[in-house]
């Protein structure tokens, strides 16, 4: 049987883990009407303390039209708000509302439980190595062009 090298397996395995995380988190947040995509958008805003739409698009690596629909929906639910950007009046900054912050405590708790379950029996030193590898892969991909 043909043995696959770690280079052959790495990105495929990473994609499989990401899909599994998204599927399981979607299931655990479903009763709250939230998907992994909505949660991760709100996490970025919670951690940043305010981002422009362009910064958020880049950070999440999604297309702008996809993000606009998601942001409009979150704003309609009263979970995020757009505020004037004093440094650049052409843009607005995105923030979680107080209701969004309160909602995030529930969402983050559920995500934390899933994260704990998925990373059980994995040492922090192993995770640090994996993170360094993924960061290097992202750095390498930054200069690649779409075909």
């Amino acid at each position: 049987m043909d043995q696959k090298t770690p280079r052959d397996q790495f990105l495929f395995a990473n994609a499989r883990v990401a899909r599994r995380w998204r599927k399981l988190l979607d299931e655990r947040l479903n009763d709250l009407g939230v998907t992994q995509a909505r949660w991760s958008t709100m996490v970025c805003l919670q951690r940043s303390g305010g981002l422009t739409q362009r910064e958020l698009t880049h950070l999440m690596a999604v297309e702008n039209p996809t993000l606009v629909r998601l942001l409009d929906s979150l704003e309609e639910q009263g979970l995020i708000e757009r505020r004037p950007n004093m440094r650049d009046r052409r843009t607005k900054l995105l923030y979680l509302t107080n209701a969004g912050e309160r909602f995030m405590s529930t969402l983050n708790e559920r995500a934390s439980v899933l994260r704990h379950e998925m990373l059980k029996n994995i040492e922090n030193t192993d995770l640090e190595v994996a993170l360094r590898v993924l960061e290097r892969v992202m750095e390498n991909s930054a200069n690649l062009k779409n075909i």
Side-chain angles (χ1 to χ4, degrees):
M1 175 163 254
D2 184 16
Q3 283 285 7
K4 298 292 182 193
T5 68
R7 286 184 184 277
D8 293 327
Q9 297 176 45
F10 182 78
L11 293 175
F12 182 71
N14 187 55
R16 284 180 48 223
V17 169
R19 281 192 303 275
R20 178 68 54 91
W21 163 259
R22 185 171 37 254
K23 179 183 182 299
L24 291 171
L25 192 58
D26 281 350
E27 290 171 1
R28 295 193 185 197
L29 300 179
N30 184 47
D31 66 311
L32 299 172
V34 177
T35 62
Q36 181 271 338
R38 293 168 74 81
W39 173 76
S40 60
T41 301
M42 293 175 70
V43 166
C44 289
L45 294 178
Q46 187 177 46
R47 291 180 178 171
S48 71
L51 291 170
T52 66
Q53 190 170 306
R54 174 174 281 173
E55 290 167 335
L56 187 57
T57 300
H58 178 73
L59 188 61
M60 295 187 60
V62 296
E63 298 294 323
N64 196 46
T66 302
L67 186 63
V68 168
R69 285 189 301 274
L70 198 148
L71 293 174
D72 287 346
S73 174
L74 290 171
E75 188 174 36
E76 286 171 15
Q77 289 181 286
L79 300 173
I80 68 162
E81 62 186 352
R82 293 171 165 105
R83 298 182 196 162
N85 183 351
M86 296 306 163
R87 290 178 292 156
D88 182 353
R89 293 183 186 252
R90 298 168 295 170
T91 64
K92 300 227 184 239
L93 292 173
L94 303 162
Y95 292 90
L96 289 181
T97 61
N98 289 337
E101 288 285 354
R102 286 190 302 274
F103 192 43
M104 282 301 289
S105 63
T106 301
L107 301 179
N108 287 336
E109 176 58 32
R110 291 188 187 188
S112 179
V113 169
L114 177 59
R115 184 181 312 110
H116 176 75
E117 293 169 354
M118 288 184 71
L119 298 177
K120 152 177 89 176
N121 300 323
I122 301 172
E123 297 294 326
N124 281 341
T125 53
D126 293 334
L127 292 172
E128 290 167 358
V129 170
L131 284 170
R132 281 196 305 272
V133 170
L134 290 172
E135 287 169 6
R136 182 72 52 84
V137 170
M138 286 301 291
E139 289 169 8
N140 290 344
S141 70
N143 295 325
L144 300 177
K145 297 199 185 324
N146 292 334
I147 298 176

